[in-house]
Amino acid sequence: MENPTPASNTQKYYNYIEQMVRLRKAMAAQFYLEAIFIEYAVMEDRLASVLIHSGRKCGEREGIASKIKKVAALGTEESSLAHRYFPSDYMATLVDWKRQRDTIIHNLMNQKLATKDLQKIALEGQQIVKQLNSKATNYRKALERQAAKAQKQEG
């Protein structure tokens, strides 16, 4: 398979809407592994968005763990806008969710796994996705306001 062409912002928006529909359907049908897969992909995309809007490098092949660490590092800078949106306790929830997800996915065939365990992780992931999308959007808008204000002061 060839490397896909990067999606435009409009296409990413439509992709996001489509994945949220799929996530809701997966949850309703109790397809929790599918839900977890979608949640992971959306989280990774939102974290990349935060890094890009912060002017940080985000490699195409960079994994979610690295993205979480970089966004968490942004959040430790108390004078930055990121501190307001991505405090350490919130970032710890992402790390914990990823750890639980990794344990399930990477040991799927080697563990006794109940549907309620998958449901718990999928529900937590769904909540994190909602929060992360909101935080990433609000952070981007705050950065845009900050840049406009600085430009106005210069002009």
Side-chain angles (χ1 to χ4, degrees), residues 29-65:
Q30 299 182 358
F31 294 158
Y32 299 124
L33 285 172
E34 182 174 352
I36 291 166
F37 176 82
I38 294 166
E39 291 162 354
Y40 185 91
V42 171
M43 286 179 207
E44 191 162 16
D45 178 72
R46 298 294 75 213
L47 290 165
S49 176
V50 168
L51 292 170
I52 290 165
H53 285 97
S54 298
R56 302 303 200 277
K57 291 201 181 244
C58 182
E60 192 175 301
R61 297 207 182 268
E62 190 169 346
I64 194 170

PDB file of all heavy atoms in Angstrom, residues 29-65:
ATOM      1  N   ALA A  29     -23.126  -1.600  19.550  1.00  0.00           N
ATOM      2  CA  ALA A  29     -23.135  -3.014  19.170  1.00  0.00           C
ATOM      3  C   ALA A  29     -22.226  -3.864  20.062  1.00  0.00           C
ATOM      4  O   ALA A  29     -22.095  -5.061  19.849  1.00  0.00           O
ATOM      5  CB  ALA A  29     -22.705  -3.158  17.707  1.00  0.00           C
ATOM      6  N   GLN A  30     -21.620  -3.250  21.051  1.00  0.00           N
ATOM      7  CA  GLN A  30     -20.688  -3.898  21.966  1.00  0.00           C
ATOM      8  C   GLN A  30     -19.460  -4.456  21.246  1.00  0.00           C
ATOM      9  O   GLN A  30     -18.882  -5.454  21.656  1.00  0.00           O
ATOM     10  CB  GLN A  30     -21.384  -4.986  22.793  1.00  0.00           C
ATOM     11  CG  GLN A  30     -22.498  -4.451  23.666  1.00  0.00           C
ATOM     12  CD  GLN A  30     -23.152  -5.513  24.518  1.00  0.00           C
ATOM     13  OE1 GLN A  30     -22.816  -6.695  24.467  1.00  0.00           O
ATOM     14  NE2 GLN A  30     -24.106  -5.084  25.329  1.00  0.00           N
ATOM     15  N   PHE A  31     -19.031  -3.770  20.190  1.00  0.00           N
ATOM     16  CA  PHE A  31     -17.794  -4.106  19.492  1.00  0.00           C
ATOM     17  C   PHE A  31     -16.687  -3.262  20.120  1.00  0.00           C
ATOM     18  O   PHE A  31     -16.194  -2.299  19.541  1.00  0.00           O
ATOM     19  CB  PHE A  31     -17.908  -3.817  17.998  1.00  0.00           C
ATOM     20  CG  PHE A  31     -18.899  -4.677  17.258  1.00  0.00           C
ATOM     21  CD1 PHE A  31     -19.427  -4.255  16.060  1.00  0.00           C
ATOM     22  CD2 PHE A  31     -19.303  -5.911  17.752  1.00  0.00           C
ATOM     23  CE1 PHE A  31     -20.340  -5.025  15.358  1.00  0.00           C
ATOM     24  CE2 PHE A  31     -20.213  -6.708  17.061  1.00  0.00           C
ATOM     25  CZ  PHE A  31     -20.731  -6.258  15.865  1.00  0.00           C
ATOM     26  N   TYR A  32     -16.311  -3.649  21.318  1.00  0.00           N
ATOM     27  CA  TYR A  32     -15.417  -2.823  22.121  1.00  0.00           C
ATOM     28  C   TYR A  32     -13.989  -2.779  21.578  1.00  0.00           C
ATOM     29  O   TYR A  32     -13.321  -1.749  21.710  1.00  0.00           O
ATOM     30  CB  TYR A  32     -15.443  -3.272  23.575  1.00  0.00           C
ATOM     31  CG  TYR A  32     -16.827  -3.138  24.176  1.00  0.00           C
ATOM     32  CD1 TYR A  32     -17.467  -4.224  24.752  1.00  0.00           C
ATOM     33  CD2 TYR A  32     -17.493  -1.914  24.144  1.00  0.00           C
ATOM     34  CE1 TYR A  32     -18.742  -4.101  25.288  1.00  0.00           C
ATOM     35  CE2 TYR A  32     -18.769  -1.779  24.671  1.00  0.00           C
ATOM     36  CZ  TYR A  32     -19.388  -2.877  25.244  1.00  0.00           C
ATOM     37  OH  TYR A  32     -20.652  -2.741  25.769  1.00  0.00           O
ATOM     38  N   LEU A  33     -13.517  -3.855  20.978  1.00  0.00           N
ATOM     39  CA  LEU A  33     -12.178  -3.811  20.390  1.00  0.00           C
ATOM     40  C   LEU A  33     -12.131  -2.800  19.240  1.00  0.00           C
ATOM     41  O   LEU A  33     -11.163  -2.056  19.107  1.00  0.00           O
ATOM     42  CB  LEU A  33     -11.742  -5.196  19.894  1.00  0.00           C
ATOM     43  CG  LEU A  33     -11.344  -6.185  20.983  1.00  0.00           C
ATOM     44  CD1 LEU A  33     -11.125  -7.575  20.391  1.00  0.00           C
ATOM     45  CD2 LEU A  33     -10.105  -5.726  21.720  1.00  0.00           C
ATOM     46  N   GLU A  34     -13.179  -2.772  18.422  1.00  0.00           N
ATOM     47  CA  GLU A  34     -13.234  -1.787  17.346  1.00  0.00           C
ATOM     48  C   GLU A  34     -13.272  -0.374  17.928  1.00  0.00           C
ATOM     49  O   GLU A  34     -12.592   0.532  17.440  1.00  0.00           O
ATOM     50  CB  GLU A  34     -14.450  -2.022  16.456  1.00  0.00           C
ATOM     51  CG  GLU A  34     -14.524  -1.043  15.304  1.00  0.00           C
ATOM     52  CD  GLU A  34     -15.652  -1.343  14.317  1.00  0.00           C
ATOM     53  OE1 GLU A  34     -16.301  -2.380  14.426  1.00  0.00           O
ATOM     54  OE2 GLU A  34     -15.855  -0.499  13.431  1.00  0.00           O
ATOM     55  N   ALA A  35     -14.060  -0.188  18.974  1.00  0.00           N
ATOM     56  CA  ALA A  35     -14.144   1.126  19.616  1.00  0.00           C
ATOM     57  C   ALA A  35     -12.779   1.567  20.133  1.00  0.00           C
ATOM     58  O   ALA A  35     -12.363   2.711  19.928  1.00  0.00           O
ATOM     59  CB  ALA A  35     -15.161   1.083  20.759  1.00  0.00           C
ATOM     60  N   ILE A  36     -12.066   0.664  20.776  1.00  0.00           N
ATOM     61  CA  ILE A  36     -10.743   0.977  21.317  1.00  0.00           C
ATOM     62  C   ILE A  36      -9.777   1.336  20.190  1.00  0.00           C
ATOM     63  O   ILE A  36      -8.981   2.275  20.320  1.00  0.00           O
ATOM     64  CB  ILE A  36     -10.225  -0.209  22.169  1.00  0.00           C
ATOM     65  CG1 ILE A  36     -11.067  -0.330  23.451  1.00  0.00           C
ATOM     66  CG2 ILE A  36      -8.744  -0.060  22.491  1.00  0.00           C
ATOM     67  CD1 ILE A  36     -10.883  -1.640  24.204  1.00  0.00           C
ATOM     68  N   PHE A  37      -9.857   0.627  19.092  1.00  0.00           N
ATOM     69  CA  PHE A  37      -9.014   0.909  17.928  1.00  0.00           C
ATOM     70  C   PHE A  37      -9.270   2.328  17.415  1.00  0.00           C
ATOM     71  O   PHE A  37      -8.335   3.095  17.164  1.00  0.00           O
ATOM     72  CB  PHE A  37      -9.302  -0.132  16.831  1.00  0.00           C
ATOM     73  CG  PHE A  37      -8.560   0.111  15.556  1.00  0.00           C
ATOM     74  CD1 PHE A  37      -7.247  -0.297  15.417  1.00  0.00           C
ATOM     75  CD2 PHE A  37      -9.173   0.754  14.495  1.00  0.00           C
ATOM     76  CE1 PHE A  37      -6.554  -0.075  14.233  1.00  0.00           C
ATOM     77  CE2 PHE A  37      -8.490   0.979  13.308  1.00  0.00           C
ATOM     78  CZ  PHE A  37      -7.185   0.569  13.178  1.00  0.00           C
ATOM     79  N   ILE A  38     -10.530   2.696  17.278  1.00  0.00           N
ATOM     80  CA  ILE A  38     -10.894   4.039  16.800  1.00  0.00           C
ATOM     81  C   ILE A  38     -10.447   5.098  17.793  1.00  0.00           C
ATOM     82  O   ILE A  38      -9.884   6.132  17.407  1.00  0.00           O
ATOM     83  CB  ILE A  38     -12.411   4.129  16.526  1.00  0.00           C
ATOM     84  CG1 ILE A  38     -12.797   3.209  15.355  1.00  0.00           C
ATOM     85  CG2 ILE A  38     -12.838   5.578  16.245  1.00  0.00           C
ATOM     86  CD1 ILE A  38     -14.294   2.978  15.218  1.00  0.00           C
ATOM     87  N   GLU A  39     -10.671   4.852  19.060  1.00  0.00           N
ATOM     88  CA  GLU A  39     -10.279   5.818  20.094  1.00  0.00           C
ATOM     89  C   GLU A  39      -8.779   6.091  20.046  1.00  0.00           C
ATOM     90  O   GLU A  39      -8.350   7.249  20.107  1.00  0.00           O
ATOM     91  CB  GLU A  39     -10.687   5.285  21.477  1.00  0.00           C
ATOM     92  CG  GLU A  39     -12.175   5.250  21.678  1.00  0.00           C
ATOM     93  CD  GLU A  39     -12.625   4.356  22.814  1.00  0.00           C
ATOM     94  OE1 GLU A  39     -11.805   3.642  23.425  1.00  0.00           O
ATOM     95  OE2 GLU A  39     -13.838   4.362  23.096  1.00  0.00           O
ATOM     96  N   TYR A  40      -8.008   5.040  19.920  1.00  0.00           N
ATOM     97  CA  TYR A  40      -6.553   5.171  19.869  1.00  0.00           C
ATOM     98  C   TYR A  40      -6.141   6.046  18.681  1.00  0.00           C
ATOM     99  O   TYR A  40      -5.314   6.948  18.813  1.00  0.00           O
ATOM    100  CB  TYR A  40      -5.942   3.773  19.754  1.00  0.00           C
ATOM    101  CG  TYR A  40      -4.439   3.702  19.818  1.00  0.00           C
ATOM    102  CD1 TYR A  40      -3.794   3.535  21.032  1.00  0.00           C
ATOM    103  CD2 TYR A  40      -3.668   3.752  18.667  1.00  0.00           C
ATOM    104  CE1 TYR A  40      -2.413   3.431  21.102  1.00  0.00           C
ATOM    105  CE2 TYR A  40      -2.284   3.657  18.716  1.00  0.00           C
ATOM    106  CZ  TYR A  40      -1.666   3.493  19.945  1.00  0.00           C
ATOM    107  OH  TYR A  40      -0.298   3.387  20.004  1.00  0.00           O
ATOM    108  N   ALA A  41      -6.731   5.785  17.525  1.00  0.00           N
ATOM    109  CA  ALA A  41      -6.397   6.543  16.312  1.00  0.00           C
ATOM    110  C   ALA A  41      -6.776   8.012  16.457  1.00  0.00           C
ATOM    111  O   ALA A  41      -6.005   8.903  16.075  1.00  0.00           O
ATOM    112  CB  ALA A  41      -7.102   5.935  15.103  1.00  0.00           C
ATOM    113  N   VAL A  42      -7.931   8.287  17.028  1.00  0.00           N
ATOM    114  CA  VAL A  42      -8.373   9.676  17.213  1.00  0.00           C
ATOM    115  C   VAL A  42      -7.470  10.380  18.220  1.00  0.00           C
ATOM    116  O   VAL A  42      -7.059  11.527  18.008  1.00  0.00           O
ATOM    117  CB  VAL A  42      -9.858   9.744  17.636  1.00  0.00           C
ATOM    118  CG1 VAL A  42     -10.252  11.160  18.030  1.00  0.00           C
ATOM    119  CG2 VAL A  42     -10.755   9.229  16.512  1.00  0.00           C
ATOM    120  N   MET A  43      -7.132   9.709  19.313  1.00  0.00           N
ATOM    121  CA  MET A  43      -6.236  10.313  20.303  1.00  0.00           C
ATOM    122  C   MET A  43      -4.893  10.660  19.668  1.00  0.00           C
ATOM    123  O   MET A  43      -4.361  11.757  19.895  1.00  0.00           O
ATOM    124  CB  MET A  43      -6.012   9.352  21.479  1.00  0.00           C
ATOM    125  CG  MET A  43      -7.167   9.234  22.408  1.00  0.00           C
ATOM    126  SD  MET A  43      -6.755   8.053  23.729  1.00  0.00           S
ATOM    127  CE  MET A  43      -8.382   7.473  24.157  1.00  0.00           C
ATOM    128  N   GLU A  44      -4.372   9.737  18.889  1.00  0.00           N
ATOM    129  CA  GLU A  44      -3.079   9.979  18.255  1.00  0.00           C
ATOM    130  C   GLU A  44      -3.158  11.191  17.324  1.00  0.00           C
ATOM    131  O   GLU A  44      -2.262  12.038  17.321  1.00  0.00           O
ATOM    132  CB  GLU A  44      -2.641   8.734  17.486  1.00  0.00           C
ATOM    133  CG  GLU A  44      -1.219   8.807  17.024  1.00  0.00           C
ATOM    134  CD  GLU A  44      -0.636   7.463  16.648  1.00  0.00           C
ATOM    135  OE1 GLU A  44      -1.386   6.486  16.450  1.00  0.00           O
ATOM    136  OE2 GLU A  44       0.600   7.405  16.556  1.00  0.00           O
ATOM    137  N   ASP A  45      -4.235  11.310  16.575  1.00  0.00           N
ATOM    138  CA  ASP A  45      -4.408  12.439  15.668  1.00  0.00           C
ATOM    139  C   ASP A  45      -4.543  13.759  16.430  1.00  0.00           C
ATOM    140  O   ASP A  45      -3.946  14.765  16.056  1.00  0.00           O
ATOM    141  CB  ASP A  45      -5.643  12.221  14.787  1.00  0.00           C
ATOM    142  CG  ASP A  45      -5.876  13.395  13.871  1.00  0.00           C
ATOM    143  OD1 ASP A  45      -5.104  13.566  12.910  1.00  0.00           O
ATOM    144  OD2 ASP A  45      -6.829  14.169  14.139  1.00  0.00           O
ATOM    145  N   ARG A  46      -5.310  13.776  17.495  1.00  0.00           N
ATOM    146  CA  ARG A  46      -5.505  15.006  18.268  1.00  0.00           C
ATOM    147  C   ARG A  46      -4.213  15.442  18.929  1.00  0.00           C
ATOM    148  O   ARG A  46      -3.916  16.633  19.021  1.00  0.00           O
ATOM    149  CB  ARG A  46      -6.617  14.834  19.316  1.00  0.00           C
ATOM    150  CG  ARG A  46      -7.992  14.535  18.742  1.00  0.00           C
ATOM    151  CD  ARG A  46      -8.610  15.670  17.921  1.00  0.00           C
ATOM    152  NE  ARG A  46      -8.001  15.776  16.622  1.00  0.00           N
ATOM    153  CZ  ARG A  46      -7.823  16.904  15.935  1.00  0.00           C
ATOM    154  NH1 ARG A  46      -8.213  18.045  16.406  1.00  0.00           N
ATOM    155  NH2 ARG A  46      -7.243  16.910  14.751  1.00  0.00           N
ATOM    156  N   LEU A  47      -3.427  14.492  19.435  1.00  0.00           N
ATOM    157  CA  LEU A  47      -2.141  14.829  20.035  1.00  0.00           C
ATOM    158  C   LEU A  47      -1.198  15.421  18.993  1.00  0.00           C
ATOM    159  O   LEU A  47      -0.498  16.407  19.267  1.00  0.00           O
ATOM    160  CB  LEU A  47      -1.516  13.592  20.688  1.00  0.00           C
ATOM    161  CG  LEU A  47      -2.217  13.086  21.943  1.00  0.00           C
ATOM    162  CD1 LEU A  47      -1.760  11.674  22.285  1.00  0.00           C
ATOM    163  CD2 LEU A  47      -2.016  14.027  23.115  1.00  0.00           C
ATOM    164  N   ALA A  48      -1.189  14.849  17.798  1.00  0.00           N
ATOM    165  CA  ALA A  48      -0.362  15.386  16.718  1.00  0.00           C
ATOM    166  C   ALA A  48      -0.795  16.808  16.391  1.00  0.00           C
ATOM    167  O   ALA A  48       0.046  17.686  16.175  1.00  0.00           O
ATOM    168  CB  ALA A  48      -0.465  14.493  15.479  1.00  0.00           C
ATOM    169  N   SER A  49      -2.086  17.055  16.372  1.00  0.00           N
ATOM    170  CA  SER A  49      -2.609  18.388  16.091  1.00  0.00           C
ATOM    171  C   SER A  49      -2.111  19.401  17.125  1.00  0.00           C
ATOM    172  O   SER A  49      -1.694  20.510  16.774  1.00  0.00           O
ATOM    173  CB  SER A  49      -4.132  18.365  16.072  1.00  0.00           C
ATOM    174  OG  SER A  49      -4.657  19.654  15.900  1.00  0.00           O
ATOM    175  N   VAL A  50      -2.141  19.017  18.386  1.00  0.00           N
ATOM    176  CA  VAL A  50      -1.657  19.895  19.457  1.00  0.00           C
ATOM    177  C   VAL A  50      -0.188  20.234  19.226  1.00  0.00           C
ATOM    178  O   VAL A  50       0.218  21.404  19.321  1.00  0.00           O
ATOM    179  CB  VAL A  50      -1.857  19.239  20.846  1.00  0.00           C
ATOM    180  CG1 VAL A  50      -1.110  19.999  21.931  1.00  0.00           C
ATOM    181  CG2 VAL A  50      -3.339  19.145  21.177  1.00  0.00           C
ATOM    182  N   LEU A  51       0.601  19.235  18.913  1.00  0.00           N
ATOM    183  CA  LEU A  51       2.030  19.463  18.699  1.00  0.00           C
ATOM    184  C   LEU A  51       2.276  20.367  17.496  1.00  0.00           C
ATOM    185  O   LEU A  51       3.073  21.296  17.570  1.00  0.00           O
ATOM    186  CB  LEU A  51       2.761  18.127  18.531  1.00  0.00           C
ATOM    187  CG  LEU A  51       2.808  17.264  19.787  1.00  0.00           C
ATOM    188  CD1 LEU A  51       3.333  15.872  19.470  1.00  0.00           C
ATOM    189  CD2 LEU A  51       3.639  17.933  20.871  1.00  0.00           C
ATOM    190  N   ILE A  52       1.586  20.100  16.413  1.00  0.00           N
ATOM    191  CA  ILE A  52       1.760  20.906  15.203  1.00  0.00           C
ATOM    192  C   ILE A  52       1.374  22.358  15.455  1.00  0.00           C
ATOM    193  O   ILE A  52       2.100  23.279  15.084  1.00  0.00           O
ATOM    194  CB  ILE A  52       0.958  20.299  14.035  1.00  0.00           C
ATOM    195  CG1 ILE A  52       1.611  18.981  13.609  1.00  0.00           C
ATOM    196  CG2 ILE A  52       0.853  21.272  12.864  1.00  0.00           C
ATOM    197  CD1 ILE A  52       0.747  18.105  12.724  1.00  0.00           C
ATOM    198  N   HIS A  53       0.240  22.585  16.114  1.00  0.00           N
ATOM    199  CA  HIS A  53      -0.193  23.955  16.397  1.00  0.00           C
ATOM    200  C   HIS A  53       0.712  24.654  17.407  1.00  0.00           C
ATOM    201  O   HIS A  53       0.745  25.875  17.460  1.00  0.00           O
ATOM    202  CB  HIS A  53      -1.653  23.982  16.848  1.00  0.00           C
ATOM    203  CG  HIS A  53      -2.600  23.779  15.717  1.00  0.00           C
ATOM    204  ND1 HIS A  53      -3.154  22.555  15.422  1.00  0.00           N
ATOM    205  CD2 HIS A  53      -3.062  24.634  14.781  1.00  0.00           C
ATOM    206  CE1 HIS A  53      -3.928  22.672  14.365  1.00  0.00           C
ATOM    207  NE2 HIS A  53      -3.890  23.925  13.947  1.00  0.00           N
ATOM    208  N   SER A  54       1.450  23.867  18.173  1.00  0.00           N
ATOM    209  CA  SER A  54       2.404  24.435  19.129  1.00  0.00           C
ATOM    210  C   SER A  54       3.748  24.726  18.480  1.00  0.00           C
ATOM    211  O   SER A  54       4.665  25.188  19.153  1.00  0.00           O
ATOM    212  CB  SER A  54       2.619  23.461  20.296  1.00  0.00           C
ATOM    213  OG  SER A  54       1.430  23.252  20.992  1.00  0.00           O
ATOM    214  N   GLY A  55       3.862  24.389  17.209  1.00  0.00           N
ATOM    215  CA  GLY A  55       5.121  24.600  16.509  1.00  0.00           C
ATOM    216  C   GLY A  55       6.161  23.539  16.805  1.00  0.00           C
ATOM    217  O   GLY A  55       7.344  23.724  16.530  1.00  0.00           O
ATOM    218  N   ARG A  56       5.718  22.421  17.363  1.00  0.00           N
ATOM    219  CA  ARG A  56       6.641  21.326  17.684  1.00  0.00           C
ATOM    220  C   ARG A  56       6.667  20.331  16.531  1.00  0.00           C
ATOM    221  O   ARG A  56       5.688  20.165  15.825  1.00  0.00           O
ATOM    222  CB  ARG A  56       6.216  20.583  18.959  1.00  0.00           C
ATOM    223  CG  ARG A  56       6.116  21.432  20.215  1.00  0.00           C
ATOM    224  CD  ARG A  56       7.420  22.134  20.524  1.00  0.00           C
ATOM    225  NE  ARG A  56       7.568  22.575  21.874  1.00  0.00           N
ATOM    226  CZ  ARG A  56       7.083  23.703  22.373  1.00  0.00           C
ATOM    227  NH1 ARG A  56       6.354  24.493  21.640  1.00  0.00           N
ATOM    228  NH2 ARG A  56       7.317  24.041  23.626  1.00  0.00           N
ATOM    229  N   LYS A  57       7.782  19.660  16.413  1.00  0.00           N
ATOM    230  CA  LYS A  57       7.897  18.628  15.385  1.00  0.00           C
ATOM    231  C   LYS A  57       7.093  17.405  15.801  1.00  0.00           C
ATOM    232  O   LYS A  57       7.063  17.037  16.964  1.00  0.00           O
ATOM    233  CB  LYS A  57       9.358  18.239  15.178  1.00  0.00           C
ATOM    234  CG  LYS A  57      10.168  19.329  14.531  1.00  0.00           C
ATOM    235  CD  LYS A  57      11.400  18.750  13.900  1.00  0.00           C
ATOM    236  CE  LYS A  57      12.189  19.878  13.284  1.00  0.00           C
ATOM    237  NZ  LYS A  57      12.307  19.790  11.879  1.00  0.00           N
ATOM    238  N   CYS A  58       6.466  16.824  14.794  1.00  0.00           N
ATOM    239  CA  CYS A  58       5.698  15.611  15.020  1.00  0.00           C
ATOM    240  C   CYS A  58       5.899  14.729  13.799  1.00  0.00           C
ATOM    241  O   CYS A  58       5.298  14.978  12.744  1.00  0.00           O
ATOM    242  CB  CYS A  58       4.225  15.953  15.221  1.00  0.00           C
ATOM    243  SG  CYS A  58       3.221  14.511  15.570  1.00  0.00           S
ATOM    244  N   GLY A  59       6.755  13.737  13.931  1.00  0.00           N
ATOM    245  CA  GLY A  59       7.077  12.876  12.802  1.00  0.00           C
ATOM    246  C   GLY A  59       5.907  12.019  12.371  1.00  0.00           C
ATOM    247  O   GLY A  59       5.064  11.640  13.185  1.00  0.00           O
ATOM    248  N   GLU A  60       5.877  11.719  11.085  1.00  0.00           N
ATOM    249  CA  GLU A  60       4.798  10.914  10.515  1.00  0.00           C
ATOM    250  C   GLU A  60       4.733   9.532  11.150  1.00  0.00           C
ATOM    251  O   GLU A  60       3.673   8.958  11.320  1.00  0.00           O
ATOM    252  CB  GLU A  60       5.010  10.797   9.006  1.00  0.00           C
ATOM    253  CG  GLU A  60       3.832  10.234   8.259  1.00  0.00           C
ATOM    254  CD  GLU A  60       4.052  10.251   6.763  1.00  0.00           C
ATOM    255  OE1 GLU A  60       4.258  11.348   6.211  1.00  0.00           O
ATOM    256  OE2 GLU A  60       4.017   9.163   6.155  1.00  0.00           O
ATOM    257  N   ARG A  61       5.879   9.009  11.502  1.00  0.00           N
ATOM    258  CA  ARG A  61       5.923   7.663  12.096  1.00  0.00           C
ATOM    259  C   ARG A  61       6.058   7.696  13.627  1.00  0.00           C
ATOM    260  O   ARG A  61       6.293   6.670  14.247  1.00  0.00           O
ATOM    261  CB  ARG A  61       7.077   6.879  11.499  1.00  0.00           C
ATOM    262  CG  ARG A  61       6.928   6.661  10.010  1.00  0.00           C
ATOM    263  CD  ARG A  61       7.654   5.389   9.614  1.00  0.00           C
ATOM    264  NE  ARG A  61       7.590   5.140   8.205  1.00  0.00           N
ATOM    265  CZ  ARG A  61       6.648   4.400   7.631  1.00  0.00           C
ATOM    266  NH1 ARG A  61       5.698   3.873   8.354  1.00  0.00           N
ATOM    267  NH2 ARG A  61       6.672   4.197   6.329  1.00  0.00           N
ATOM    268  N   GLU A  62       5.918   8.848  14.185  1.00  0.00           N
ATOM    269  CA  GLU A  62       6.037   8.992  15.634  1.00  0.00           C
ATOM    270  C   GLU A  62       4.828   8.360  16.318  1.00  0.00           C
ATOM    271  O   GLU A  62       3.687   8.601  15.933  1.00  0.00           O
ATOM    272  CB  GLU A  62       6.110  10.482  15.975  1.00  0.00           C
ATOM    273  CG  GLU A  62       6.468  10.753  17.396  1.00  0.00           C
ATOM    274  CD  GLU A  62       6.791  12.218  17.611  1.00  0.00           C
ATOM    275  OE1 GLU A  62       6.986  12.962  16.641  1.00  0.00           O
ATOM    276  OE2 GLU A  62       6.851  12.600  18.786  1.00  0.00           O
ATOM    277  N   GLY A  63       5.082   7.564  17.317  1.00  0.00           N
ATOM    278  CA  GLY A  63       4.009   6.844  17.990  1.00  0.00           C
ATOM    279  C   GLY A  63       3.281   7.684  19.022  1.00  0.00           C
ATOM    280  O   GLY A  63       3.694   8.789  19.385  1.00  0.00           O
ATOM    281  N   ILE A  64       2.204   7.124  19.503  1.00  0.00           N
ATOM    282  CA  ILE A  64       1.356   7.841  20.457  1.00  0.00           C
ATOM    283  C   ILE A  64       2.085   8.098  21.774  1.00  0.00           C
ATOM    284  O   ILE A  64       1.892   9.148  22.400  1.00  0.00           O
ATOM    285  CB  ILE A  64       0.009   7.113  20.683  1.00  0.00           C
ATOM    286  CG1 ILE A  64      -0.989   8.040  21.385  1.00  0.00           C
ATOM    287  CG2 ILE A  64       0.210   5.816  21.430  1.00  0.00           C
ATOM    288  CD1 ILE A  64      -2.409   7.503  21.441  1.00  0.00           C
ATOM    289  N   ALA A  65       2.942   7.173  22.209  1.00  0.00           N
ATOM    290  CA  ALA A  65       3.660   7.368  23.479  1.00  0.00           C
ATOM    291  C   ALA A  65       4.528   8.618  23.423  1.00  0.00           C
ATOM    292  O   ALA A  65       4.546   9.420  24.363  1.00  0.00           O
ATOM    293  CB  ALA A  65       4.505   6.139  23.803  1.00  0.00           C
TER     294      ALA A  65
END
